[in-house]
Amino acid sequence: MENRLTQLEETIAHQQSVIDDLNTVVTDQAARLAVLERRVQMLLQAAAQAEADGQLAAPPADQRPPHY
């Protein structure tokens, strides 16, 4: 009985360590995702502003190649 209890305690300790590690990874990814979302939002706003100001060039498919 004592051996079984020791094994269960070891298993729980290992699982807690894994959970803590996974929590760290998820927290880091959430922070990175938040930064990327802000950057995408800034790029979308900049593109919308450039389009509104008429600063965007013609789409690449509509531009003449440089060798013409």
Side-chain angles (χ1 to χ4, degrees), residues 28-68:
D28 291 345
Q29 287 180 344
R32 290 179 182 179
L33 181 60
V35 169
L36 291 173
E37 286 175 340
R38 284 193 303 269
R39 288 180 180 175
V40 167
Q41 187 61 36
M42 289 172 52
L43 288 171
L44 289 172
Q45 289 174 351
Q49 184 63 42
E51 184 177 2
D53 293 344
Q55 294 177 354
L56 288 181
D62 296 338
Q63 292 179 0
R64 290 177 59 164
H67 60 275
Y68 275 102

Side-chain angles (χ1 to χ4, degrees), residues 6 9 19 23 29 31 34 41-42 48 50 52 59 65:
T6 302
E9 289 173 343
I19 290 170
N23 184 53
Q29 287 180 344
Q41 187 61 36
M42 289 172 52

